[in-house]
Structure formats: C-alpha cells, structure tokens
Amino acid sequence: MAAQLELDAAAVFIVDDDPSVRDALSLLLRIEGFAPRAFTDATSFLEAFRHRQPACVILDVNLPDESGLQVLRDLAVERARPPVVVMSGQGDIATVVAAMKFGAIDFLQKPFTANAMADRVREAVAAYRRTRDERIEGLAEFAGRHRLTGRERDVLQQVAQGASNKEAGRRLGISPRTVEVHRARIMDKLGAKNAADLMRIVMSDEPSKRATALLSAAPA
C-alpha cells in the first residue's frame, strides 16, 4: 500500500536541545491551535522532515550535533521547504545575516516574548497555507504534470489535500483500491521517493532528478 501523504498544515516542528524551551514553545503552539512536535537535535529533525511536511519550523542556532545554520543549508536543497524561524541566545549581526542568507524568514533572540513568537508562527503558517492551497487548487505546473492522466490528476489533488484512499474514493466515485493504484502510478511517473517527496514535487516548479530521467526516456 502506498504511504499516506503526510501533509499537515497545522504541524510546527521545534528544534532545540533545551527542554524548557521545547516545553514552553509546545504549550504556546498548542494554545494557538497548532500541532507542535519537538526535536532535540538536527539528526532526528531531518529524519522526520523526510517523511512529513510541517507548516513551519522553529530552529535554534546551537544544536548538539549540527548547527542550526547547517540545518538551514541542508533544507536549502529541498523543494518547497516550509518557512523557518530561527532563534538564538546570541543575536550577533553575522549570525542573523547568515540565517537570513540561508533562507530563514525571521530571527528571534532569546529571551523573546510569547506574543512575538506566536505572531511570527501565525504569519508564517498563513503564508504557507495560502501557497499550498493555490498550488493544490491549480495543480501547479510542476515537472511531469503532463504525464498524468486526468483521473490521476484528480486523485493527486485529493491526496495532496490529505484525503485517505477511502475519502478520495468516496469523493471521486471510485474504490479505495483504485485510488491506491492511481497513487502508486503517480509516485512512479513523478519520480517521488515517498509521500512527503511527492508533496514537495507538487509544490515546486523544479523536477526531481528521477522524474527528469523518466520523462526524457518516456515515449511521447
């Protein structure tokens, strides 16, 4: 069975090795209506990120295994990555400039107020949701779109919105098993390694290397 697409427009990932910061931010985000998930290091965060698409990331600069700036560089190669708010106890100009250069949308120096962080996350998630909805609604011109049949595009739109096979089948008037088959074919045609990768392809204008190879080799 194809993996269920992990797209969560309420999920916010927190990456900080300080348990008090993780706990405080998790509580704040739950109160604000988000679904926080906390990580103590870069390794565990990046592993989870490969399987789930959060709406926002809150990232500390100082981590035990890899700096937050390096994590930003790692994320820079991702298609349609979520917005990242960087935080640090040391807000020197060089660090702030580097964080923004590598793609952070904002930089908050510790200690910061709960309202300041809540405002940043609300704004970031709202922008993410607008972009996601626009791309899903129109099935943006991502690489390989023309290789999909009309029914496959219908199925892709449903699963991109987070629908299960059963839900997608009910909406489209087909069986869950047929949806599953379409999902597998979509993954293969677009060169997606997993469900999260599929979402990033849909939300990006850039093709995956595998998709490019498949399209180049495929007959017209």
Side-chain angles (χ1 to χ4, degrees):
M1 179 181 296
Q4 173 63 35
L5 184 64
E6 290 288 352
L7 169 66
D8 192 340
V12 178
F13 285 3
I14 304 163
V15 193
D16 196 307
D17 63 339
D18 186 334
S20 63
V21 173
R22 293 197 306 273
D23 291 346
L25 287 176
S26 294
L27 176 59
L28 170 66
L29 293 170
R30 281 195 292 270
I31 291 173
E32 291 291 328
F34 298 110
R37 183 176 176 185
F39 304 88
T40 62
D41 53 55
T43 302
S44 58
F45 159 69
L46 291 171
E47 176 60 28
F49 183 81
R50 280 189 278 270
H51 300 282
R52 189 177 186 186
Q53 179 79 51
C56 182
V57 176
I58 302 174
L59 175 67
D60 188 41
V61 168
N62 299 308
L63 298 173
D65 56 345
E66 186 175 292
S67 76
L69 295 180
Q70 181 57 51
V71 172
L72 280 172
R73 286 192 286 266
D74 294 339
L75 293 178
V77 302
E78 295 288 340
R79 293 183 293 272
R81 66 178 177 179
V84 181
V85 178
V86 172
M87 55 185 176
S88 175
Q90 298 178 343
D92 60 276
I93 296 299
T95 302
V96 175
V97 170
M100 305 305 280
K101 175 183 177 182
F102 294 135
I105 63 165
D106 209 341
F107 188 105
L108 292 182
Q109 184 173 355
K110 299 175 181 177
F112 46 77
T113 66
N115 284 340
M117 180 59 80
D119 288 344
R120 299 301 191 281
V121 173
R122 279 196 299 266
E123 292 166 2
V125 171
Y128 167 87
R129 287 172 174 169
R130 284 194 299 271
T131 300
R132 182 206 63 164
D133 292 345
E134 288 169 1
R135 288 183 178 273
I136 291 175
E137 180 65 26
L139 280 179
E141 295 297 328
F142 59 87
R145 178 182 184 274
H146 65 286
R147 304 302 302 187
L148 303 181
T149 65
R151 177 56 80 187
E152 286 167 351
R153 287 196 291 271
D154 291 340
V155 170
L156 178 57
Q157 185 163 2
Q158 291 297 319
V159 298
Q161 292 171 338
S164 66
N165 289 347
K166 183 177 180 179
E167 291 169 333
R170 176 172 51 79
R171 295 170 186 173
L172 297 175
I174 57 180
S175 72
R177 174 58 181 167
T178 301
V179 173
E180 182 181 332
V181 171
H182 282 310
R183 285 170 61 116
R185 289 177 57 82
I186 291 166
M187 297 273 288
D188 185 61
K189 286 184 177 182
L190 299 183
K193 298 184 294 293
N194 53 45
D197 190 41
L198 175 62
M199 190 65 244
R200 286 189 272 270
I201 290 172
V202 171
M203 294 183 66
S204 172
D205 294 327
E206 299 178 6
S208 70
K209 292 181 179 178
R210 181 166 177 258
T212 300
L214 287 170
L215 296 177
S216 298

